Amino acid sequence: MPEEPCQCPDCQRFYREHDRLIRENPTLRQQQELSWAALQSFRTLAGRVLDDLQKTHGDAEPAPAAAATAGAGPAEAGDLDAIQQAIADLENINAHLFSIEALMERIFDVRVPEEVEQKFRELAGELAPDPLNADRLRLNRLLHQTPDLPDRS
Ligand SMILES: [Zn+2]
């Protein structure tokens, strides 16, 4: 017997988002564009925040112990450490995103014939049917109460 997928709120939100992305981007081309846009928006925003933090707080070098203990109280020193840690984490994230971009460029160049795109559309419809589709709604109600769905009549 297959294990029941987790139904906690986080997982449910993930399933909905996952299905929506399939439903709204049912071709290889659209999935490529979607992934590319997501990656680029992530890079743009995280990079901008990192720049801003570095301007304000300097690079991610461990705050000198003296500075941390001298002027600042324990709470302030803790905040400062957290910011330095965040800067280091964001630098790592940006480096990884850069690597992912290099890999993604290689899958982004692929084009497939229209009949294969049609296969994508067909299977997308099976994997992620319209959530407001009547059958889907009924099934969903059977499985659990559905506070997220608009129709509660
Ligand atoms: Zn879960």
Side-chain angles (χ1 to χ4, degrees):
M1 201 168 74
E3 210 174 299
E4 271 295 292
C6 175
Q7 296 296 335
C8 80
D10 284 344
C11 286
Q12 288 199 8
R13 200 165 52 243
F14 172 80
Y15 305 144
R16 277 198 301 274
E17 187 66 0
H18 173 272
D19 286 8
R20 184 180 69 79
L21 291 175
I22 290 180
R23 200 159 47 242
E24 294 178 3
N25 302 274
T27 65
L28 176 65
R29 184 91 189 111
Q30 285 171 305
Q31 286 293 328
Q32 287 168 321
E33 289 176 359
L34 173 69
S35 297
W36 188 253
L39 176 68
Q40 293 304 334
S41 64
F42 193 174
R43 285 194 67 192
T44 301
L45 183 57
R48 185 60 195 278
V49 169
L50 178 61
D51 279 353
D52 197 81
L53 287 175
Q54 283 171 334
K55 259 182 222 134
T56 320
H57 300 276
D59 280 327
E61 279 148 40
T69 46
E76 286 173 58
D79 288 351
L80 198 63
D81 284 350
I83 295 289
Q84 292 300 331
Q85 183 59 52
I87 289 174
D89 288 343
L90 286 173
E91 283 173 344
N92 270 328
I93 284 177
N94 280 350
H96 286 303
L97 290 176
F98 186 76
S99 305
I100 294 169
E101 179 183 290
L103 292 172
M104 201 174 268
E105 275 171 353
R106 297 161 70 172
I107 60 171
F108 194 67
D109 287 338
V110 173
R111 296 285 180 275
V112 295
E114 179 52 31
E115 65 182 286
V116 176
E117 288 290 32
Q118 192 49 46
K119 177 63 79 181
F120 266 82
R121 285 188 199 94
E122 192 185 312
L123 294 180
E126 284 178 23
L127 286 170
D130 181 353
L132 300 180
N133 163 301
D135 289 343
R136 177 88 162 179
L137 275 179
R138 197 164 49 239
L139 180 64
N140 214 333
R141 287 215 178 85
L142 288 177
L143 289 176
H144 40 246
Q145 297 310 309
T146 53
D148 56 303
L149 292 170
D151 173 20
R152 309 203 63 189
S153 59

